[in-house]
Amino acid sequence: MRKISCLALLLVGVAMTGFAQGGGVRAASKPDMNGTWKLNVAQSDFGEAPPPIRQSEVVKQAGDEFAIEITLEREQGKQHYTLRFQVGGAEMPLAKGSFADDAPFRVLSVKGEWQGPVLVVTEKVSFQGEEGTLKASYSLSGDRKVLRKATHVSMSAGEFDTKTVYDKE
């Protein structure tokens, strides 16, 4: 249980997945998610883990090509890395040097797919040497000013979910 709490502390806000569709998602099957998105802590649900001090995600989308730059700050330190993938394409390993050699958490690979208007990003990760999966579903509000992400984390030590809300800057 201690390991799950530690994992939750490191991963909350990093994991990616969108809320269930609620009120006002555009009818378009592939919404434009481009932009800088700042975490709205008050509207997010981190479960038992404390929220990050700061978090933002910069989404760069060109058709089915994505780059999601994640910047996360916690009391334990900062993380900054980029997930690059083509929706519907092969699983992509993260670039060498994306994480410090001694980082307890690392993203190993990423893959994206559209499920209607929801972008589902699956990351294979390593936490303290144990591999697992983060499955994040991104959905965009109808006015395109709010990005919602529901994330399911699955590790050998257990599973948990987070829901994060981001406002467009």
Side-chain angles (χ1 to χ4, degrees), residues 55-67:
Q55 182 177 341
S56 66
E57 297 195 12
V58 177
V59 178
K60 296 176 183 173
Q61 175 184 356
D64 283 338
E65 299 284 333
F66 276 82

Side-chain angles (χ1 to χ4, degrees), residues 78-90:
K78 295 180 183 181
Q79 285 184 309
H80 179 85
Y81 57 93
T82 302
L83 304 174
R84 295 182 193 284
F85 58 93
Q86 179 176 359
V87 175

Side-chain angles (χ1 to χ4, degrees), residues 10-141:
L10 285 173
L11 297 181
V12 168
V14 174
M16 317 219 182
T17 319
F19 279 124
Q21 306 292 67
V25 172
R26 286 194 320 159
S29 63
K30 297 179 182 179
D32 181 355
M33 296 183 179
N34 277 301
T36 299
W37 302 92
K38 183 178 177 184
L39 179 67
N40 182 326
V41 175
Q43 292 189 12
S44 298
D45 178 4
F46 296 93
E48 296 178 24
I53 297 167
R54 253 179 291 299
Q55 182 177 341
S56 66
E57 297 195 12
V58 177
V59 178
K60 296 176 183 173
Q61 175 184 356
D64 283 338
E65 299 284 333
F66 276 82
I68 302 174
E69 296 176 30
I70 298 167
T71 303
L72 175 70
E73 183 179 346
R74 301 194 152 283
E75 287 183 20
Q76 298 82 3
K78 295 180 183 181
Q79 285 184 309
H80 179 85
Y81 57 93
T82 302
L83 304 174
R84 295 182 193 284
F85 58 93
Q86 179 176 359
V87 175
E91 184 176 309
M92 298 294 298
L94 239 61
K96 193 169 182 114
S98 295
F99 293 89
D101 290 340
D102 61 349
F105 169 78
R106 297 170 188 260
V107 176
L108 306 173
S109 65
V110 62
K111 184 174 178 141
E113 66 179 316
W114 287 112
Q115 291 183 358
V118 177
L119 175 64
V120 178
V121 179
T122 303
E123 301 168 54
K124 288 188 179 174
V125 299
S126 174
F127 178 68
Q128 295 180 343
E130 292 183 32
E131 292 190 9
T133 304
L134 306 181
K135 189 170 188 176
S137 300
Y138 288 85
S139 63
L140 194 58
S141 65

